[in-house]
Structure formats: C-alpha cells, structure tokens
Amino acid sequence: MSGHSKWSTIKRKKAKVDSQRGKIFTKIAKEIIAAARQGGGDPEANLRLKNAIAKAKEENIPNDNIQRAIKRGTGELGGANYEELTYEGYGPGGVAVMLDIMTDNRNRTAGEIRHLFSKYGGNLGETGCVSWMFDTRGVLIIEKANLEADTDEFLLTALDAGALDVKEEDDSLEVITEPDAMNQVAETLAVEGIKISLAEVTRIPQTTVMITGSQQEQMLKLMDMLEDHEDVQEVYANFDIVDEE
C-alpha cells in the first residue's frame, strides 16, 4: 500500500498552478469521452462517467465543456478517436510502473514514453510484465480534519458499509473497496455525514520496493514527467521511500 499512499499524498500536496490546468482539463475530458463511449452518456447508469464528471466538477470545469465531452464520447459530436492502452515497465531500482494511456497516435506515444523511461533510469516493458503485482481497488480519501468521529469509530463505520480495509496516513484516511462497491460505500458514508475528498478506482501494489538517494530522485522525476505527458491518464508504481527523505 505504501507506494500508492506515498505518491497519492505527494500528488495531493502538489500545487495546481495555472500552467498545469490546461493539461488537467484535457486529461479529464479524455476520461469523460472514453467513459461515455464505453457505457453511454447517462452518468446514473455509467459509474465510470459519473466518477469522471465528479472529477471535472472538483476542478471547476464548466458544465458546457463536460456536456461536449460526453457528446463526443457518444458520437453526437465529432473529435479525435482516442485509443485506451496500458503500458508497463520498470523504474530505477526495479520499481514496477503501470500507465493508463489515452492517445490518438499510439506510435508517437510509445516512442515518447519509452524515451522518458530510458532518460530516468528505467525501461518500458512488455504487456503483463508487472500488472500481476497490482490489485484494482476503489479508494476513498477522507481528510482527518473533516472527520467528527474518532478513527476507531470510523473504521467500524467503513467496514460496516462494505469497505475491505482502512489505511491511516498522516492527515487522511484511505478507505479501500472492491471497484464495483466503491460508489455504494461512498454513498453510505455520505449518509453518515462523512465528507469524502476523493473517490477513484486505482491500482494498488501488492508489495513495495524501497528506494533511497539518487534512485528516489530519479523515480520521483520519472513519475512527474510521466504524469505531465498529455497522453498519460494515470501512473501507478510500487515504490516506497523513507519518510525523512
């Protein structure tokens, strides 16, 4: 869990400067398009679309933009034909890395991603080389500052709601669920008055690799560059780092 938690915490604390917002909008719009194409344009009948719209609203993306993206996905409006892919590889120190990709040019994207891996001490691998190291799970983030009950009481509430586990971080709690149960657990917690800061389906590593020193610097830089790439929707890795570092 540490690899997921550490990187998730780092991402949440990173400032969203104006220069990044265009890329954030583009990534979310791609997710809305793909979700609508896969499951239709009704968010109540399409869990993936419902979660993508929630992300868009968190980023204050205008409703007109959201609706245009849905219509592109359902074919009512024209636009780029995005292909969904999964890339797998290794970072410095043998860290396992998985990428969710959406691209309209897989050859260009593959070359650029391969270059980033090589530049920062890793290599792009074959399909299946690291996917077996990850479990797909729903994750709900609850900030401790928003929690009225104590941690033990909250743990019981979450497990009663159908959660698989609860992980405690410095300033937050992570509720782990089966992917299909995430929204149901979220709704149950909301009824109890618990505010959820983030809900997402993610990949969680089964084991982690400890990295330090230059490997840590290379790995964090690789994660940054991969996340910054316009065709990368999500990055997952199984590294751990010492808190002091």
Side-chain angles (χ1 to χ4, degrees), residues 15-25 59:
K16 291 185 176 69
V17 296
D18 288 344
S19 63
Q20 295 175 315
R21 292 196 65 78
K23 290 181 180 178
I24 292 171
F25 284 15
E59 296 292 343

Side-chain angles (χ1 to χ4, degrees), residues 37-195:
R37 183 177 63 191
Q38 180 187 63
D42 180 6
E44 294 307 315
N46 184 341
L47 177 61
R48 181 179 177 185
L49 178 60
K50 185 176 183 178
N51 290 334
I53 291 173
K55 284 184 182 180
K57 290 182 176 178
E58 286 173 9
E59 296 292 343
N60 297 315
I61 296 178
N63 191 57
D64 286 349
N65 293 34
I66 295 173
Q67 293 304 315
R68 279 198 297 271
I70 292 173
K71 288 180 179 178
R72 286 197 180 102
T74 58
E76 296 173 66
L77 291 177
N81 185 21
Y82 293 113
E83 185 177 8
E84 294 185 82
L85 306 167
T86 300
Y87 287 177
E88 304 177 37
Y90 296 93
V95 172
V97 181
M98 291 192 69
L99 308 175
D100 288 340
I101 301 288
M102 284 188 66
T103 178
D104 57 359
N105 187 333
R106 65 156 64 197
N107 290 331
R108 169 184 53 78
T109 302
E112 292 173 355
I113 297 300
R114 183 175 290 107
H115 170 73
L116 289 176
F117 270 98
S118 298
K119 184 176 181 180
Y120 296 103
N123 61 281
L124 189 62
E126 299 294 328
T127 300
C129 67
V130 301
S131 58
W132 58 274
M133 301 183 194
F134 294 82
D135 294 319
T136 302
R137 293 287 185 262
V139 177
L140 307 171
I141 305 295
I142 292 88
E143 303 296 337
K144 288 182 178 178
N146 296 328
L147 192 64
E148 295 181 2
D150 62 36
T151 302
D152 290 339
E153 183 179 345
F154 172 77
L155 173 63
L156 293 175
T157 300
L159 293 176
D160 285 344
L164 295 175
D165 198 4
V166 176
K167 301 290 185 180
E168 185 173 2
E169 296 298 318
D170 292 339
D171 55 3
S172 65
L173 295 163
E174 296 188 347
V175 179
I176 313 302
T177 75
E178 292 287 0
D180 294 342
M182 183 183 72
N183 277 25
Q184 180 182 336
V185 174
E187 289 170 4
T188 302
L189 294 179
V191 169
E192 296 291 330
I194 297 169
K195 182 179 179 181

Side-chain angles (χ1 to χ4, degrees), residues 92 99 172 184 211 218 225 242 244:
L99 308 175
S172 65
Q184 180 182 336
I211 53 175
Q218 277 191 308
M225 297 304 294
V242 179
E244 289 74 11

